[in-house]
Amino acid sequence: MSCWQTIQDYGLRSLGIGERGLPKADITLCEQFVLIGSGMIWNIYFGVFALICGFFLATAVAVGKGSKNRLIRKSSEWFIFLFRGSPLFIQFFFAYFLFLSLKSVHPFFDPFTAAWLGAMIVLFLNTSAYSGEIFYGALRSIPKGDVESADAYGFSGWPRFKRIIWPTTLRLAWPAYTNEAIFLFHATTLVFFSGFPTWQQRGDALYYANYFADKTYNPFIPYPILAGYFILLTLVVLAIFGAVNRRLNRHLPQEAKRKIKFRPNIIR
């Protein structure tokens, strides 16, 4: 079988398109590249949707934590503490059994027990908590003179937040938020170990890497391939977030712009 035929047969297998059966003998390097790459579709899906949805919830949580209203402030603090204080894998575990219990109550919750929705919700809440703390720290770091200047120009309430406070917060938080985005994409591999079943029993990239490692008894080929795909994904994230960072700081002198540095979390 040619490599091009392999791409046609297995390129979209993770979405349920193409050959149903997996290669069991004479597994080629092309088949490993193609199928692990196909599984990356799900990792990208989890990361992109959790990141987009989490950005807005993180904004609300950060503002809530800085609120003078005790109920809103404490709710935000406990949300951040709960999801930052517990391991992500444990959150997957409890969320799955919670959705499984709700499924027995009403059929509306059926999709929540599948990875495409249930696991994505867990990742969304987790990154919202971490990002919310990053944004809150940036809110606290806004120079007092910026706020006083806004007051002097007659800005107050929502206009002041929209034009002065929030743009400054993003500029201060963006380098750290970039690292959180990278970690989020890496954390999508934990979905494989969670109890959430994949759509039509098709797996993510780690599912295929683990399959090939078991079949070939050689983990030194599929896992480096998987790592290579995530390195490429990290480079794409850095490029996109770097472009946004330059856009946010376009008005600053070149030497004053904050550059994004990748600082991986060794322990979290």
Side-chain angles (χ1 to χ4, degrees):
M1 181 187 295
S2 67
C3 195
W4 175 244
Q5 186 62 46
T6 300
I7 293 173
Q8 290 179 315
D9 292 342
Y10 295 115
L12 296 176
R13 187 187 185 277
S14 64
L15 300 179
I17 301 172
E19 293 287 335
R20 290 185 60 85
L22 287 170
K24 293 180 171 48
D26 299 324
I27 296 172
T28 65
L29 189 62
C30 180
E31 288 172 338
Q32 297 190 49
F33 267 102
V34 171
L35 280 165
I36 294 173
S38 175
M40 284 295 296
I41 295 173
W42 281 111
N43 295 95
I44 294 171
Y45 160 79
F46 290 131
V48 168
F49 277 87
L51 195 64
I52 292 174
C53 299
F55 176 83
F56 295 101
L57 180 58
T59 301
V61 168
V63 174
K65 188 173 180 179
S67 173
K68 295 181 180 179
N69 186 296
R70 178 179 172 82
L71 179 61
I72 296 176
R73 184 176 67 255
K74 289 298 180 181
S75 298
S76 299
E77 288 175 353
W78 277 102
F79 173 82
I80 293 174
F81 177 78
L82 178 65
F83 283 95
R84 290 180 70 218
S86 58
L88 179 57
F89 180 77
I90 303 300
Q91 294 170 25
F92 278 124
F93 177 80
F94 278 105
Y96 176 68
F97 283 98
L98 172 63
F99 293 145
L100 204 61
S101 301
L102 294 174
K103 179 181 176 180
S104 62
V105 175
H106 197 281
F108 170 80
F109 293 99
D110 285 358
F112 288 82
T113 57
W116 71 270
L117 182 58
M120 195 272 287
I121 290 175
V122 176
L123 288 168
F124 150 62
L125 294 175
N126 183 271
T127 193
S128 297
Y130 279 91
S131 302
E133 185 66 20
I134 291 172
F135 290 159
Y136 174 70
L139 278 172
R140 295 287 303 272
S141 301
I142 294 177
K144 188 177 180 181
D146 289 9
V147 180
E148 292 175 347
S149 298
D151 293 337
Y153 276 95
F155 286 99
S156 62
W158 172 249
R160 183 179 67 174
F161 180 83
K162 179 182 176 181
R163 294 179 177 272
I164 307 298
I165 295 178
W166 188 236
T168 305
T169 299
L170 287 182
R171 284 192 289 273
L172 294 173
W174 204 254
Y177 185 58
T178 302
N179 289 327
E180 168 58 26
I182 293 170
F183 177 82
L184 173 63
F185 280 100
H186 292 174
T188 59
T189 55
L190 288 177
V191 176
F192 171 73
F193 299 104
S194 69
F196 290 97
T198 54
W199 186 65
Q200 294 187 355
Q201 301 304 310
R202 307 300 194 266
D204 61 357
L206 186 56
Y207 166 81
Y208 291 108
N210 185 70
Y211 172 83
F212 288 126
D214 290 342
K215 287 296 180 181
T216 62
Y217 303 102
N218 184 7
F220 297 102
I221 293 179
Y223 290 127
I225 291 174
L226 176 64
Y229 275 119
F230 273 100
I231 289 172
L232 291 176
L233 181 59
T234 298
L235 292 175
V236 172
V237 172
L238 284 173
I240 294 173
F241 275 71
V244 175
N245 186 61
R246 289 190 294 273
R247 175 71 178 174
L248 291 172
N249 294 286
R250 63 190 182 278
H251 63 289
L252 297 177
Q254 187 66 34
E255 62 275 7
K257 294 181 180 179
R258 296 169 60 89
K259 295 183 179 179
I260 292 177
K261 295 182 180 180
F262 176 43
R263 298 191 181 96
N265 294 311
I266 305 302
I267 298 177
R268 175 169 174 178

